DNA sequence: GGATAATCGAGACGGTACGTCGCGTCTTCAT
DNA sequence: ATGAAGACGCGACGTACCGTCTCGATTATCC
């Protein structure tokens, strides 16, 4: 839920539940789309830093108060805009059947890496930390864009343990942080590539471990 | 090296090499200190978001143009300010002897985790992505604050391999990203603690691997 | 018409014609008054040189951009401010009946001299030449404050000629410049007084001429 | 004498009398010339409003303090610069013999009008009022550029009265203000031409008077 | 159907901060 | 002592956005 601020309940953006059906003129959904499209285009053109409320309103052909009516600040708009493009988690791992969970994990990681490596990925990264760190918004941002993927991995790992593909007793959270953290680290630092080979290597090292096989 | 912009070369901040000894009045080092101190105090008090050039100048008792003479923007000041406090890499791993490299690595990771977990750590994190992502400044920032620690780890890992503490053939970069990435991931996402226990678990999982010991 | 600069037409100040009745929020006339009042007070207190946009905005309790929205620079504000005080030409010669035009002229000149000799007069003088000489603004300034009075004299002179109070064939423009120029000259140079006696003498010399009566 | 301000007696610019022959390095006269030349060129190129101390120093290849050592502010430099070009009063009326003083007056007025009508004339005009009205500098300015010419006229008028070319009993100051004021008025207002015809008409009207010849 | 009410475009408004320019003073080195 | 260079404190510049507000014009629901 994006930050809500004052009088008229600034609506929950992603997945609004009930159309309140109040009295006055109902909100124009085309306006919502126009605003989000404008935001996306601006981010595309000038990066997240170039995103301003005035710019959004102008490009959407909309009054500023209209934007403020539905979103608390530029970050909220940005998040909703990004959500429309890349927020669909279902698209990421439809391909897993019943076979090897590790293989499925690898495929998912590859998809994640692909998104991370794209321009949108870098944009998301720079929005991530820009948003005041522990604001409600920043958390949502992280949850939706990064942690959601990590959570997809959790079930795969659980499955892998259940399958006997991974050993018992591992701390799933630690494992997730090692794997997804490595990807994310590369995204933010930009010191290494983020391609399929990278994913494979990370996965292999995580599974194989750094220590001596026999001890 | 911080962003340099226009006419009079905005001096390299972190480790200026040659005192140019030109003609005119030499720059006043006390002014530099006052500015950096002011920046540190403001960040301390209001977070990195509360840092403004005007605020810095006012608190330092200095003209705005003086600040701009030496730093291109607020991020550059912030970076230099942080550097003074936490930029000393030597302080982090003086304790390693000649014995177990893994143990030394663990100690270094604990120190890193401690810094990350502190307020300054969160501040650094939020500055990290704020600075336009792939600007020269942002890169320096990352290199000095994060990658420098990672590099300390590299030599320890190399040593560990040489010692026979870790197996041959591992990709050191991947290993570093798994370990430091996991820490950094937790720093930014804030979904899990960053204490000694966490460090130990991460290290253990990285070394032991997720896979079956005997297969 | 004061200098107009950019996008939203910076409105004509003195005697705006049509209230545009556009869409958005209409401009607040109280703000306009507050700004002009502030400008007047500052000029009163510190002279025209002490007038700054920041000072105006601060004293009027108004944002700087609001001032810039309606006036292009400090001179434009000053002009409108002065206009409110001394721009009323009707106040200057209401007293003429149908009798001697020369007498009426003298009275008008005395009023002009009085204004010129006042503090406001000196202020106006120093604004006159300060404003970039042949900018649109400077012209308006001159037209409203000085030339308008000169024009009042024109009709009086015409009348005087028609009455037979002055001889035919004189060049009215030259006559006006001799008379009003003499006053203005004294205003700017400050080398001689600007009282009733001065006015009377100037008028007498202009009418009587410097030459020999009979030749 | 230009405004002198502080410690080392800022020397009188226009006609320094004695070379003080103090202790240290004597001042470099070439520097003085370079500064004044720079000032002239800047005024020529950008008008008096474009004249800044920094600009002068830069163009003259001189340190700012050097300029400030000898002139109190930009107006003082400007005045000295203009003085070099147009300050020579002797050049203006060498042609008078012993014959008709009125004729000589006319010739002098024509010269004055010519200077006034030139670009330099307009520049001088705009400097005139810009300089804080009753500062010492502004007075000097006026005295040198305008009043000096008026004074030249005074002796001519006196002579004309003595010759019988003009009638007795006229107030010379008033007469001067009528004539020179008319010229100056046209210079500042710019509402009428400033050519020979104008001078002739003004003179004719001043001498002939506006009133009826016989009454 | 007429009142009520929320929407939307537009844009003025009080602010804060931006980054720049010029001021006039100062400090340093070289002459 | 003079002079070139240029750092410094300061004040103002004019601009960009912020988030709020006040308009007129729609567009619905409710009485």
């Amino acid at each position: 839920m994006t930050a809500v601020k004052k009088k008229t309940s600034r609506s929950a953006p992603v997945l609004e539940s009930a159309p309140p059906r109040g009295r006055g003129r109902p909100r124009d959904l085309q306006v919502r789309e126009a605003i989000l499209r404008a935001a996306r285009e601006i981010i595309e053109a000038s990066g997240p830093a170039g995103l301003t409320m005035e710019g959004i309103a102008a490009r959407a052909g909309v009054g500023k108060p209209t934007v403020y009516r539905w979103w608390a600040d530029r970050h909220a708009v940005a998040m909703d805009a990004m959500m429309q493009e890349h927020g669909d988690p279902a698209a990421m791992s439809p391909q897993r059947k019943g076979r090897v969970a590790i293989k499925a994990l690898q495929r998912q990681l590859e998809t994640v890496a692909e998104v991370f490596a794209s321009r949108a990925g870098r944009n998301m990264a720079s929005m991530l930390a820009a948003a005041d760190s522990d604001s409600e918004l920043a958390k949502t941002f992280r949850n939706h864009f990064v942690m959601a993927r990590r959570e997809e991995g959790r079930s795969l790992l659980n499955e892998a343990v259940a399958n006997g593909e991974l050993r018992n007793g591992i701390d799933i959270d630690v494992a997730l942080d090692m794997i997804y953290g490595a990807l994310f680290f590369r995204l933010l630092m930009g010191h290494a590539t983020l391609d399929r080979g990278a994913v494979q290597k990370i996965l292999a090292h995580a599974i194989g471990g750094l220590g001596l096989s026999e001890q």
Side-chain angles (χ1 to χ4, degrees), chain A:
Chain A
M1 192 159 311
T2 300
V4 163
K5 260 184 26 183
K6 272 200 293 194
K7 29 187 183 183
T8 26
S9 66
R10 234 172 281 230
S11 82
V14 202
L15 266 165
E16 55 266 46
S17 41
R21 273 280 134 252
R23 262 243 249 158
R25 171 178 178 173
R27 79 169 291 193
D28 186 342
L29 280 183
Q30 297 196 331
V31 165
R32 178 175 206 272
E33 289 315 308
I35 290 171
L36 293 180
R37 190 180 332 115
R40 253 179 284 125
E41 289 167 359
I42 291 171
I43 292 174
E44 192 65 26
S46 330
L51 193 67
T52 69
M53 285 304 231
E54 299 217 319
I56 293 167
R59 179 175 258 263
V62 141
K64 265 199 294 176
T66 300
V67 185
Y68 278 105
R69 216 186 320 270
W70 305 111
W71 291 274
D73 54 41
R74 117 191 62 176
H75 302 300
V77 185
M79 169 160 164
D80 272 15
M82 297 302 250
M83 228 55 131
Q84 287 202 328
E85 279 191 309
H86 304 285
D88 191 5
M92 296 228 146
S93 58
Q95 61 274 66
R96 184 172 47 81
K97 272 300 161 30
R99 276 281 283 102
V100 234
I102 294 295
K103 211 70 197 172
L105 178 62
Q106 179 172 342
R107 277 197 235 99
Q108 194 256 4
L109 288 174
E110 281 165 1
T111 312
V112 170
E114 208 171 306
V115 174
F116 276 4
S118 71
R119 180 125 69 103
R122 296 212 64 82
N123 285 343
M124 291 189 299
S126 80
M127 283 160 124
L128 247 162
D132 245 335
S133 232
D134 39 24
S135 66
E136 207 54 43
L137 176 64
K139 280 176 198 146
T140 320
F141 219 83
R142 287 184 210 121
N143 288 344
H144 275 277
F145 281 115
V146 184
M147 297 309 274
R149 273 82 188 129
R150 183 175 173 278
E151 288 312 304
E152 290 164 17
R154 179 189 300 279
S155 50
L156 291 171
L157 281 186
N158 278 329
E159 200 174 329
V161 171
N163 285 354
E165 297 178 62
L166 296 182
R167 66 182 168 83
N168 271 322
I170 63 178
D171 185 320
I172 300 287
D173 275 304
V174 169
L176 287 169
D177 288 347
M178 271 170 50
I179 297 171
Y180 289 88
L183 283 185
F184 194 65
F185 195 51
R186 292 198 167 190
L187 165 64
L188 278 191
M189 297 296 124
H191 62 285
T193 53
L194 256 180
D195 52 15
R196 305 199 153 213
V199 167
Q200 196 217 304
K201 270 193 205 161
I202 290 170
L203 202 49
H205 279 71
I207 293 173
L210 309 173
L212 307 172
S213 305
E214 348 269 77
Q215 61 185 52

